[in-house]
Amino acid sequence: MLVPGGAPSCRACVGENAVVRWFNGREVYELCRVCGVALDSRDAEPDPVVLQAGRERWARIWGRTL
């Protein structure tokens, strides 16, 4: 349900403009700030900083000589 301003409102508690975004590494969730009900979720691109850190970590691991 959308309020006139375009921001989602909660279906459970009718809290308007009370959205919190939460990122779990793969998806972005929009939650109601009042009651915590999930309003929306969508796939997200991986964080570039996390990807670069992973590449650097693997380079250090595979760069070691045995």
Side-chain angles (χ1 to χ4, degrees):
M1 176 183 347
L2 293 176
V3 294
S9 65
C10 181
R11 296 175 294 276
C13 71
V14 194
E16 296 180 357
N17 298 324
V19 175
V20 176
R21 287 184 177 82
W22 179 65
F23 177 67
N24 71 354
R26 294 185 185 198
E27 292 180 310
V28 176
Y29 295 95
E30 290 185 353
L31 306 173
C32 175
R33 184 180 306 224
V34 178
C35 67
V37 169
L39 302 174
D40 188 24
S41 68
R42 61 186 171 277
D43 292 335
E45 295 292 322
D47 186 2
V49 174
V50 174
L51 290 176
Q52 183 61 31
R55 286 188 209 109
E56 291 173 1
R57 184 177 58 238
W58 279 108
R60 284 194 306 264
I61 290 171
W62 290 107
R64 294 179 186 169
T65 56
L66 299 175

